Amino acid sequence: MTVQIKTLDMEPKRQTFGHVARRLGGDKPATRYQEATLDVQATANFHYKPQWEPEYWVYDTRKTAVVMADWYKPLDPRQYYYATYNIARANMNQAVERAFAFAEERGLIEKISTEARKQIEFGLLPLRHLHWGANMNMTEITQRGYGTAVTAPCIFSAGDHLGMAQVVSRIGLLLDGQTGVSLDMAKEVWMDDPAWQGVRKLIEDTFVERDFFQLFVAQTLAINGVVFDLIYKFADAGWKDAQIAVAMLTEFMSDWRADESKWSDSVIKTVAAESAENKALVSQWASDWIARAVEAARPLSAALLGDNGAQAEAAREATIKRARALGLTL
């Protein structure tokens, strides 16, 4: 008996979903990112307006003062959707696990001085609360924002901040032998220490900002660019003899910052370039929030580094330079 195996080429009736084909201008193959992002958000047939905010629909472009002809224009250059985002973060998390394993095996934390421990407890561990606040902000943008191109990466960013809060917490647990005492002390510093109260007020002020894109600018440009960069990028000298250990254990934050800024910068640049009105408005928001972030960070810089706020100014200059590169006028 002879068995013959034949293959047939089956042409699909459609290359992609109808709404994606209409967006792309024809029935052509689409990427997974495009299929997971383009025109996914509901735009019609809502049952009723929310009782807590009856002036708006659930998804409403009027929840920000900036105006876009198409809120699917600010796409993510990383092309993250659920699968690619999780793959990328899983790889980064493996590096975190290796760093913590190395620090524990080599006893790096046990070898640092008492002075360095106090500096970490004062200057690094309270950031777990700031990351939690950032998580709240990015979640708020997700629920108030418009267009999956913007809101989907925002919930990814919210998850990132929650993860970084956990990394900071793990550093504290290494310091105190898994007792949690250092985390309790960090909360007291966050709540009561004068050097942190400007930063705490800054993040709490953002909680009541209702314009979702102004909140996006405040978080991704001002808070990330000034406060987080001050601690993770400019404050190496503050950790005394623990510089290497802190750099290893916070490498995720540095990698994340470089990764997320590719997206957040692109969104701000695209929205500002839409019109002269958008550019003026976004520039004003950026100027205001960067100034507030610098004012909040200056006492922290002085207390941690003894530099009279010089590194806060360095973070300000770097953030302003970045904002101008996005086409903003500051």
Side-chain angles (χ1 to χ4, degrees):
M1 182 178 67
T2 302
V3 177
Q4 291 183 338
I5 299 176
K6 295 182 179 180
T7 60
L8 296 175
D9 291 331
M10 303 291 291
E11 288 292 332
K13 291 183 178 181
R14 294 185 302 172
Q15 298 292 334
T16 185
F17 300 103
H19 66 280
V20 178
R22 288 189 291 272
R23 166 72 65 168
L24 297 180
D27 187 23
K28 58 187 72 172
T31 66
R32 291 288 181 89
Y33 170 71
Q34 290 172 328
E35 291 184 339
T37 303
L38 297 177
D39 291 321
V40 172
Q41 179 187 282
T43 59
N45 301 321
F46 302 127
H47 293 290
Y48 50 81
K49 291 185 176 181
Q51 295 181 357
W52 62 89
E53 209 170 34
E55 67 271 28
Y56 298 125
W57 290 105
V58 174
Y59 304 113
D60 201 315
T61 59
R62 296 172 299 159
K63 290 182 180 179
T64 179
V66 295
V67 177
M68 293 290 291
D70 181 11
W71 273 104
Y72 285 89
K73 191 174 180 180
L75 295 171
D76 186 352
R78 306 168 302 176
Q79 299 202 2
Y80 279 173
Y81 60 99
Y82 185 80
T84 50
Y85 164 74
N86 280 288
I87 290 169
R89 290 300 178 266
N91 291 334
M92 291 170 66
N93 190 61
Q94 287 179 356
V96 172
E97 295 300 328
R98 286 194 298 268
F100 273 87
F102 183 88
E104 292 185 68
E105 289 171 3
R106 302 302 194 282
L108 296 184
I109 298 299
E110 289 81 357
K111 294 175 183 177
I112 65 177
S113 65
T114 301
E115 183 182 10
R117 286 173 179 270
K118 291 181 179 179
Q119 287 289 88
I120 293 172
E121 290 172 351
F122 166 78
L124 181 64
L125 299 190
L127 281 183
R128 63 199 294 263
H129 301 285
L130 187 60
H131 278 300
W132 175 84
N135 168 274
M136 294 287 288
N137 281 341
M138 300 311 291
T139 304
E140 178 74 353
I141 298 168
T142 301
Q143 72 96 3
R144 292 188 64 79
Y146 193 88
T148 315
V150 173
T151 57
C154 282
I155 201 62
F156 297 155
S157 178
D160 289 339
H161 281 289
L162 185 60
M164 287 184 284
Q166 292 172 342
V167 171
V168 173
S169 299
R170 287 181 66 181
I171 295 173
L173 293 173
L174 281 182
L175 281 175
D176 63 26
Q178 309 296 319
T179 64
V181 172
S182 65
L183 302 184
D184 292 336
M185 293 174 59
K187 183 178 180 179
E188 293 179 6
V189 171
W190 172 257
M191 295 295 293
D192 300 320
D193 195 288
W196 278 97
Q197 296 318 294
V199 175
R200 186 163 75 93
K201 182 180 186 303
L202 175 69
I203 195 67
E204 290 177 357
D205 284 347
T206 62
F207 291 164
V208 295
E209 177 52 57
R210 305 302 288 165
D211 187 301
F212 77 81
F213 201 76
Q214 182 174 175
L215 181 57
F216 186 92
V217 172
Q219 180 64 59
T220 65
L221 191 60
I223 297 175
N224 291 357
V226 176
V227 184
F228 281 126
D229 278 4
L230 169 66
I231 302 300
Y232 293 130
K233 186 176 180 180
F234 294 103
D236 285 350
W239 315 129
K240 307 298 181 182
D241 57 285
Q243 287 186 34
I244 295 177
V246 171
M248 284 182 56
L249 299 178
T250 59
E251 184 180 6
F252 180 96
M253 287 69 153
S254 298
D255 293 342
W256 166 83
R257 186 77 173 92
D259 180 74
E260 179 170 269
S261 63
K262 296 176 184 177
W263 158 68
S264 60
D265 286 1
S266 177
V267 171
I268 292 173
K269 184 177 182 179
T270 302
V271 172
E274 178 79 0
S275 65
E277 292 77 12
N278 278 9
K279 180 178 179 180
L281 197 54
V282 174
S283 297
Q284 185 60 55
W285 288 341
S287 179
D288 290 346
W289 283 104
I290 290 172
R292 293 173 69 171
V294 172
E295 188 64 25
R298 192 175 286 115
L300 180 59
S301 176
L304 181 62
L305 299 168
D307 63 356
N308 199 28
Q311 290 299 342
E313 289 298 320
R316 181 185 75 87
E317 291 299 325
T319 305
I320 288 177
K321 182 179 179 180
R322 175 180 161 210
R324 287 172 176 166
L326 302 180
L328 305 185
T329 54
L330 276 74

